[in-house]
Amino acid sequence: MSMYTLAKELFPPTGIERVVRCNFVRPDVLNVIVSKSTVLEIYNFTEPAQADQLPRLELVGSYRMNGIITSMGAIRTSSSGQHGLDSILVSFKDAKMSLLEWSFSNHSLVTVSIHYYERDDYKQEFLNNSHPTEIRVDPSRRCAVLAFYGDRLAVLPFRQDETAIGDDDDISKKWPYLPSYVMALSDIDVRIKNVIDMVFLYDFFEPTLAILFSPQQTWTGRLAVRKDTCSLVVVSLNITHKMYPIIYSIDQLPYDCTRIIAVPKPVGGLLVVSANAFIHLDQGSAGMGVAVNGYAPLATDFPLQNQSHFDIALEGSEHVFLAPDQILFTLRNGDMYLVELQQEGRSLSGFKIEKVGTGKQTSCKCSLGPGYFFVGSRYADAMLIKYSTKDQVKKKSAAIPITAIDLEEELYGDDMEVLAEKKTDKSMDEIESAMDAGESKWQFEICDTLTNTGPILDFDIGQRASNESHTGFPPQHELVATTGPAQNGALVVFQRNIRPNVVRSTEALAGSTSLWTVYCRKEIVFEGVSQYESRKAPTAGEDDNYDKLLIVSRETNTLVLATSGDDLRQLPNSQFYSEGPTVAIGSLLEETRIVQVYAGGVRLLNADCKIKQVVPIGEHLSIVAASIVDPYVLLQLHDGSSLLLQGDMTTKDVTILSQTSILNSLPIKSCCIYADTSNTMITVKDAPTMASLRSSATKMSSKASTVVKKQGRTKKTKKESTKIVDEIDLDLYGPEPDEEEDEEEGEQDEDVDMRAPDAHSDVPMGDIDMEDVQSKAQASMANPEGKSLQATHWCLIYRSDGALEIYQLPDFKEVFFFPHFDLLPEVLPDAPAHQDTKPAGHAREISEMVMVNAGTRDEKMVYLVVRTYRGNIAVYKTYQHFPTNEVDSAGNPIDLSDRLAIRFRKIPLDVVGREIPEEDDRDDRGLDSDMKDALVREITRQERRRRRKPKYLIPFTDVSGYEGVFVLGASPLWIMGNGRGMLRVHPMICDGRIGCFTQFHNLNCKHGFITLNADGNLRISQLPSEGVQYDMPWPLRKVPLKRTVRRIRYHPTSQTYVTVTAVPDPFILKEDGTTTQDSAMAGTNAAADASKAAAAASTTPATATANGTADLNGSMKAKSIGPGFRPLSERQTLELVSPVTWETVDRYELNEYELVTSIETVSLESSQDASGRKKFIAVGTSYIKGEDSAMRGTIYIFDIIDVVPEPDNPQTDHKLKLLHSEEVKGAVTAMSALSGYLLTCVGTKVVVRSFEDNETLTGIAFIDVQIYVTSVKVVKNTIMLADAYKSVWFVGFQDEPTKLVLLGKDYHPMEAMNVSYLIESQSLQIAVADAEKNIRLLQYSPYNVQSFSGQKLICRGDYHVGSQIQSTISVPKIVLSGSDEGISHLMIGGTLDGGLFMITPIPEKTSKRLALLSTQIVNGVQHTAGLNPRAFRLLQSKDRLNSNPVKGILDGDLLFEYINLPANRQKEMTKQIGTGVDRVMDDLAGIAVAADHF
């Protein structure tokens, strides 16, 4: 039976691989662009408006690519440069390159060009590009090169503003680039091969490229025969004539050179980084180097200065320029060293190396101008760091200095008391432990962080610990993953759904339809003067501005409840309208009046619930909806008209504004009022123009360049000023800075600060203070005329013809018009001429809309949230637009000065809302067929129209500090901003359809909310806020452990987690007479002492002395004879973790050199349980003691028992109890439970063991496998084995008599890293993850002719994930109610990039329908960077395939792009494949909830 499958990304990758800075979105704002595997994210670097605030990163956009991003470079082309903007050049695996720019009109990425070099004549012997594709950009932005396929170099020239480097002026003006060409590196020099690195150099007339290569290769074992095999050539690229003269070359460089760094003036030249030394090279000099450890003299004969006492290793280090002569290096272990290039005159005199602190492991760095740099990492959270010296801190009061200890404590949040002590007083012990020799003058401060959930080493699913239990709630599970090495080690708790903390629950309000809470200030009369009590600011500590009233609307009446006490009690003498339902409740006139809107009118009441004013609307009219925003009340009537009421602070009354011609011109479907307090809704006459932005950026750039020039002139010596430049140097380098000073005053100075070289050569332009300049520029942009920021009010109206209109209040002046809002296009531009206003149809009629602020108290953005009649949600974000001249139908120019200078951009969502339309929404689409009488139908229609219009979008202003919109329904949603510029949509777990919601602030429930479901259950709840991050695609919590967490397993009986943690431990070779085995088995107590000492040392900053070396976490080792570092092993520990507080409640120390290679929660036969089975923790270990020792391992069986908890710590009520341990000859690489037995993979054997009487393990069956079993999964009595080199084996287990039988295997060689399974009804498929980032589906099909009676597993599908899959798990598939799907299991996988994905079975009809839709999306949707989705998902392999790829797995990420398409595009695509939009949306909704367990 065939199985149809679909793969979809659940959580995007978070590990940052590359970073580049440029002016990409606006000319006056610096952007940080990061790549996360297949995701490109753009951030704004925002300076604080106030001195006590820190700068932060604001997310502009996130874009998923159909390819793996390998490198990026920032350039300035003629097209983007005319606006003062940069473009980015992005390369992909294998040999592709795309030029991307930012579109002002659409507020999104635009693909300018695509460059493809994957031709067969370039590949030669390569099946794919084994070398990473790297882009290098000339610092002057004249060209870029792409290295691929070993020895190929693609050159892409760019057209400059000054001169066009082309043959045809028309072509050069049309495109910002010239045709690229490919050359072989051997054409430059026949010796060039095995290229290590290349970089462009600064200050050359022609683009000059330095290439580091190794013509002859060697390795550490052959240094006695061959060393110093690396060479370097510097080539001038003549783009016009395609000539490449070699300027100079240097041979005999160390064999372990890893990188070259271009050094700007005044030093110039380049810096070669090897594993053990720094070497500076320049034309005309023999080079100068410095050794940084004792291995350098042994590895090279290059003359080096001796600073080997640092004992540092430079492999994997990343760098950033703090100044043109100061480079900050972050080593592989996180230590930070500052290398200063010292000069005497024009020549380099030496290196000054200083340790300045300890940070995190990094993968990329980027300077953000003077004082700031960005650190990206694939192992830890990314950080925005502010650096300064003591002298700068003394001049202006800066934040707390951060040294080696403080940098990690601020990131991971140590105890506040300890941190406060370090802020006030820093002891000498801390200073000595933080620095090598005295405290460094450099100080670092973490300004902002980007959470990274990768690399996911292991994960498991467990039940969420909760203090509240409700029978109606579904089981609450959470996915807990282990991530990060060493000090970055942490547990990440993933939760797809928000699970509120219920404070109180009651069932006394059944039949309610709406809820509101309201606060009103009381009137106080003192000596005849009437005053109102003041409301405290929310930031003034514990405010007592609690909600006083809870108003409940029912079908027949309205209840008014007081919320001041612990209980909700009905208010007896209130004068609220209670004879019928209420439409809306709100506060008015600066919270001095309560306004109640009901079907027949409006009531105004004071804080004592006494009537102050009644506004009737007429006998024949009925209010169906209302929008209350102080001081306006907008009423929507049943006949499609509206009324606007305005409050007066003087009289404390409301009056009706006469704007009937505008409000009643066409029937209104939805309307709302928005109060703008952030000055976002500005008109064209008040908005800054593009020219003003460019001029402000130019002024900032000119100021920066002026300061740099002044500093450069003061540093020059008399010898430099009198130096004579010969003609050759003049041609190569250009004039000296003194000679070209007059030339630089023109156009080139405008681009000094805007230029952003690639991450390898990112240099700040000087130590100027840019904070004041940027903050003033941003303040002028937000408030150009210096006016006080008062709230402005705007009225949004959606009419029956599909048009969206925005009016400025109170004069009702139209400022925005869009004709086809019901199509929900990607961009909503203003159409002032009102062209093309005919009805657009009802493909997706909008039932409700609301404009709100979303975010936190500090950072808020303006969003337009829309709900369709089928429950779909669309969210639009406002952005500033610079309009051009427009004309009306008669050709006359339109005055745009009073129009809004904004547009709306649709935010892509991954949520599918499917609701049954209400009768009110369906009344225009036809009536029930059983109503035959026309008169009865008309009466029924009129009655429905007079009812209160159901409201599903409920704005909230303060729920745990967040602001956004709550969406009612069977699958309620939280739409909340994260304060970082990107909206997040999180579903909420519930026990029934949520019909009512309101925010609630009370003494017992501060900043909480109230929900009411269809069964009448009212719950007062709070958002889980302790450690939970809502700014990620899923709500998650990161629990730092500050040690490597290798594995994790959940024990369901005790509801605890068992983790395997590791700390570095020096590997010491035992002397004669003391065997390693004796030392390893010395006992648990000695092992515990050693591990505790290593754990304690891991939290101590590293110190470097001449006689000792520092390990990865800084613990000192014993003195070593001779130079070098001791090899490191791991000391591992089993830890029992409570999911309530995430604290370790028990530990079991393993022996020395003993590593856990497998751990599982197994159900074994036991007489202790009535069912005959009991859950145990099985641990398999291996002793790693080098290649000279025979491999052996141990099998442990643990039970988790209940004990008496410690005082004041109720979580310590469980302990690990070792029941049995057994040594085996071989590594225990995989384990699982099999029909009550224990399946163990030991070496090349798979053995089934019986756990008898909870005391002994007895082998009952075995089978020989091939090389190395990496993973094993069991389904009933079948076993799936993944081999590291021989793919998959499918084995059956027979109990009577007991034996293992090989049923089938995969004969295609594959490095299988993990194995899992999919189940649909009676069909089983094996899912295998390999080392090439692929997933393959195999099936045991004995009746298939090609399987040779089942001996060969049949491949049913293959899919390229794009990330390394480290762990997988199979869970039951969730199906929607009413679906005819049977029992199914899907697979969830975690990747080293920090992402999650799933592969799920889908029905056959759904698969065929979505396959046709996938073809339509591939051909009909413009993909970012011009990449082909189908080519990306093809099976990738470094070896030639024996068979063609099967391609049987659908791409879910591609299919979910259908959700965000405009309605007309959706209808067009489904029409071409012969189906409907609703059917496809139902299919996608079923896929979206398939893995919704947590």
Side-chain angles (χ1 to χ4, degrees), residues 706-740:
T706 303
V707 175
V708 172
K709 289 179 184 179
K710 290 181 179 179
Q711 293 178 351
R713 285 197 291 267
T714 56
K715 291 182 179 180
K716 289 183 180 181
T717 62
K718 295 181 180 180
K719 183 178 179 180
E720 289 176 310
S721 62
T722 57
K723 183 178 178 180
I724 300 176
V725 183
D726 56 28
E727 295 181 357
I728 298 178
D729 288 341
L730 185 64
D731 292 337
L732 290 175
Y733 304 105
E736 288 294 318
D738 285 337
E739 300 176 15
E740 62 178 1

Side-chain angles (χ1 to χ4, degrees), residues 819-838:
H820 297 308
F821 186 42
D822 57 340
L823 297 180
L824 297 180
E826 295 182 355
V827 179
L828 304 180
D830 185 19
H834 285 234
Q835 66 271 20
D836 193 18
T837 56
K838 59 183 180 180

